[in-house]
Amino acid sequence: MLSKLRRTPSKLIERRRSKLGLGRDKAGADNNKELVLPPPYERLVESEEADPALTAGSSSASPGGPFTPSSSGQTRSSGDCPAAQSPQGLTADEGHTPSDSPFGDGTKRRPLSPQGSLYPSSHLENASSCEDRPLFCACQDCEDAWLSSQQIDARRQKMPAQRVTSDEEDRAEVEVLYARLEKTVYLTKKIQTSLTRLETSGARVKEAVGPIYGNTQKLQVLGQNIDRVIGAIDKLQEPLDIRAREERIIRAGPQKAGLSDFLGSLQRTSEALAKLKATNLRSNQNAISELTYLLTSGNQQLEKVFEEILREDSRPVEPLFYITKQKPFPTLPQDKTSRLGLINSAALASAAASSSLVNQVAPTAQIYASVRGPYMVSCLQNLSSASMNTAKKKVQDAMYRRGTNGIGTYATAMEALFTTEYENVCSVFGRESWGKVFSLTCRGALTDMSKTLRELDAHIKGNLTTDCFLAYEVVDIVSKLSYQIDTRTGQLKGPFADALKPVRETAKMSLAELLEDIRRRVSSMPAFPPDGAVVPVTTDTMSRLQNMADYLAPLSSILTSLGDGGWKSGGPSNAASTASNAKALDVGADGQQLLAHYCMDSIETLLQSLESKGRTPMNVPKTKSLIGAFLANNVAIVDRMIRSSDLLPLLMKSMSRIDHWRKKGVSMYLDAWKDPSAFLLDVQYTNRGGQRPPSNNSANINSAEIIKGLSSKDKDSIKEKFRGFNSSFDDLVGRHKAFALEREVRALLAREVQAMIEPLYGRFWDRYHDIDKGKGKYVKYDKSQLTGILASLG
């Protein structure tokens, strides 16, 4: 058959070219000058040339074709060559794509080796005995054979053209396909046999291992359950076993066992007690009782240590030393505050575990207040006594002067001491306990302060008209103290307000009492001053008002709480009182304006009382000038003391009311000068003599002619007028000079009298001065003399 394949006709080759897609170009030349036969023929042809014995043995080959074992009977192992592992040679995965194959089966054929075979000489030795001889190999030797493709092409050119028929070609292809099919069937049978064996072995293993695996799972679950039960038992026994371990440490105490070990033991005992309580088992009640007792004993020892550490630095100090030197009060040392903080935390946890908290206050907080509270009271005790001693009066009627009482120093020391104590509380206790512990610690000092303020209040009430300013000062100082403490600590605002309440109420009451005191003092004057001098009540009243201007802040607060007009006692009706209470709730009221209103009410009360006192003997004519001079004098004192003090900014808008009283006093004084003025008035008849009365120009008046024109009765009347004027004028001038008038009042009254008398007398003198022929019997003063006298009044 090989000889026939060599003689393949040219038509068969052309037909094969057409199947392979090899045609002629436009010039009619072949695209591939080299004739490439399919692998079976390549192999057979080349093998025959290389080994003539192969051609001779081909006739005795098995019906399977040229791929059956050779006559030598030797079988080459498939592992000798990598190509033996793939009956179809290299695939696309090894770098060959289907498009590269000229046969369309996805393989790429390599050219023959120089020896005329697809394999090198090392593979050709056993090629005749290879049962499943592959068509080509991918080993390194085959790669070397690939490089000698040019030699193979040269040999092919020497080969004569082979011509074979179509039937023979198809027969060869069928034989190749049959060979491949047989190999595939063989491999399938072997794979099926292996799968059957594998299934049989798996079933046997499952039958043998299945019960063992199930029992193992059950044993694992049982073991886990046993471990959990043992763990639960251990947990139940652990709190019971802890008593024996911790009792030794707790009984020894923190001094012997050490504070850190003692605190650790208490913590473990507290945790054990909490766990036992959580179980809620009756069998644990005895253990709970024992641990509770043990924990209580440990807490008592901790509290004792806590108190001992506190007392080491709680000796009273002298506050004046720190105030005068401007030094801060001593605080607890940092190492001790750390220890106290640890003890407090442990005691709090233990008390919570044993449910022994009383009113939610830790026992350490009570101990702290019981130690530091008396310490603060002792530090402030001397200043509290000094506040009462400095309030005693050496002169009964002396008015209180600001800053002379020791309440200011007392408050300063209290503020510094409270602030320092708050720092100590913050360094020892937790944030949630700061307010409670601080309030509890300061309770004793606040109680002493309340007692001191009540004693001061009693003293102020006994000397209200002179020591009411002490009440204002106390309100100012304590209010500022309360604000400072509340700003820094957020506590004690209520206790300070309660302690200040009695003094504050007294301060409110003093405003109405001072008005009533003015009326009472004026009405109790034994006699009206004969010289119209200023009475002491005026000076005292204005001195009070001047002092009030120094207490603007506390008085603004007090007057705001009273409301505008709320200081007037004995209102006309309940409606007015209700309105006053409504005004007291007006938070937008201006304290300075209210103080100005109160000062003007005090001044008007004073002047009204003085005027009423002066009008009592109204039937005596001479008292008119006295009342006027007296009132003008007091108004002048009021005006002077306002303008020389801090009252002026407050009362600037109300000075017109004081001017009204000044004019009123001047008017009352001038009422007495109306008597001499009345003598200077005469009657002129325009219908007598047919002549018009002359004008007031003195140059045009002829006194002699006017006198001649008078009747004897008119002349006598003119004489009496001059006589009455002289008497009244001299009397008023004498009294005016006798009055104890203030400088500005004397000048003011002199100007007013001169403006009133001088024009009238000048006119009257011009008309009737010739009534006594210049003898001075009736006309005592000429115009220049009268002007000089009036000028001397100022």
Side-chain angles (χ1 to χ4, degrees), residues 457 471 475 479 500-509 554 557-558 561:
D457 181 62
V475 171
S479 298
L500 184 60
K501 187 176 181 179
V503 180
R504 188 178 182 86
E505 293 298 324
T506 300
K508 291 181 181 180
M509 181 186 65
S557 174
I558 294 170
S561 63

Side-chain angles (χ1 to χ4, degrees), residues 562-574:
L562 288 174
D564 195 1
W567 50 81
K568 297 178 181 179
S569 60
S573 63
N574 292 334

Side-chain angles (χ1 to χ4, degrees), residues 674-715:
K674 291 179 180 180
D675 292 341
S677 299
F679 292 110
L680 301 177
L681 302 177
D682 59 346
V683 179
Q684 297 184 19
Y685 299 96
T686 59
N687 58 353
R688 292 183 181 180
Q691 297 180 356
R692 182 177 180 273
S695 64
N696 291 332
N697 190 354
S698 59
N700 299 328
I701 298 175
N702 191 341
S703 178
E705 292 181 358
I706 294 174
I707 294 298
K708 288 180 180 180
L710 297 176
S711 61
S712 58
K713 185 178 180 180
D714 292 336
K715 291 180 181 179

Side-chain angles (χ1 to χ4, degrees), residues 201-212:
S201 301
R204 292 177 181 175
V205 171
K206 184 177 180 180
E207 291 176 358
V209 177
I212 298 175

Side-chain angles (χ1 to χ4, degrees), residues 514-515 518-519 522 538 541-542 545 567-568 596-613 631 634-635 638 642 651 653-662 664:
L514 291 178
L515 295 177
I518 293 173
R519 302 187 187 97
V522 172
T538 301
T541 301
M542 293 309 300
L545 297 181
W567 50 81
K568 297 178 181 179
H597 291 177
Y598 177 78
C599 291
M600 285 308 305
D601 286 349
S602 300
I603 292 172
E604 290 189 340
T605 299
L606 170 66
L607 297 178
Q608 287 174 357
S609 300
L610 293 177
E611 182 187 13
S612 300
K613 183 68 174 179
L631 192 59
N634 286 278
V635 171
V638 169
I642 289 175
L651 304 179
K653 297 181 180 180
S654 303
M655 293 303 291
S656 58
R657 296 167 66 178
I658 297 177
D659 290 337
H660 168 73
W661 281 100
R662 182 185 292 106
K664 192 172 185 179

